[in-house]
Amino acid sequence: LKNLLVGVVVIAVLALGTFLLIQSKNFKNNSEKKVSVSQNSNNVTDSNKSSSAEAVSELTITYTKDGFSPETAVIKANGKLTWMNSSDSEIQIGADPHPSHTGNREGTDESFVLTLGPGESKTVTLEKKGTFGYHNHLSPSNSVTIEVK
Ligand SMILES: [Cu+2]
């Protein structure tokens, strides 16, 4: 009879252990799902924000080894645009089209190119309304489009 009791207790403990294990797994899965769902909704919110494209009065465009970021932006007329070179090499920002740079040179401080060494930045004011392209003259496929409105 003792052996039978011990056997029942062992089975009960094993059953309880399995139950708790499954519970904790479900809990983990649920919390992971919740996290991914909330991340998705954040992404949706972010993309909604960028697609509505509110014009800002201060804009920073950062250059890394992958090019300009963001690659499109909207800024209010007379807004301040800051170019930031976060790459480890010199960049020369030029107004489109390359190589003549006859576009809107407000963005390049009225120069043929705006040269920025690694870690350097420069703020310019964009007064003229319209859509203007800029590129890295040393790597012309890296470009950015700025709408001034
Ligand atoms: Cu150029």
Side-chain angles (χ1 to χ4, degrees):
L1 187 67
K2 257 188 188 173
N3 282 345
L4 186 68
L5 271 177
V6 169
V8 167
V9 168
V10 165
I11 288 169
V13 166
L14 284 178
L16 186 68
T18 310
F19 176 74
L20 288 176
L21 206 69
I22 291 168
Q23 285 291 304
S24 70
K25 263 189 188 167
N26 283 344
F27 179 73
K28 264 187 199 164
N29 285 344
N30 282 343
S31 52
E32 276 163 14
K33 272 177 202 159
K34 272 175 198 159
V35 167
S36 63
V37 164
S38 63
Q39 277 172 347
N40 283 344
S41 59
N42 282 347
N43 288 345
V44 166
T45 315
D46 286 349
S47 57
N48 282 347
K49 268 180 201 162
S50 56
S51 65
S52 67
E54 276 299 308
V56 294
S57 53
E58 287 185 17
L59 170 67
T60 298
I61 294 177
T62 304
Y63 191 91
T64 67
K65 61 177 173 53
D66 298 319
F68 293 98
S69 176
E71 287 184 319
T72 59
V74 185
I75 187 171
K76 286 178 185 161
N78 300 307
K80 292 200 182 314
L81 164 65
T82 299
W83 298 106
M84 175 74 211
N85 181 8
S86 293
S87 76
D88 52 13
S89 47
E90 179 185 290
I91 63 171
Q92 294 181 354
I93 301 164
D96 283 356
H98 176 77
S100 59
H101 303 185
T102 50
N104 182 6
R105 290 192 181 181
E106 284 179 350
T108 55
D109 206 24
E110 303 299 338
S111 304
F112 178 72
V113 290
L114 176 62
T115 301
L116 293 177
E120 287 184 343
S121 65
K122 172 76 182 177
T123 301
V124 297
T125 302
L126 299 177
E127 297 178 2
K128 210 183 299 176
K129 290 183 182 178
T131 301
F132 309 104
Y134 296 92
H135 60 274
N136 179 7
H137 189 57
L138 302 175
S139 174
S141 62
N142 289 328
S143 60
V144 55
T145 302
I146 301 169
E147 184 185 351
V148 185
K149 66 179 186 183

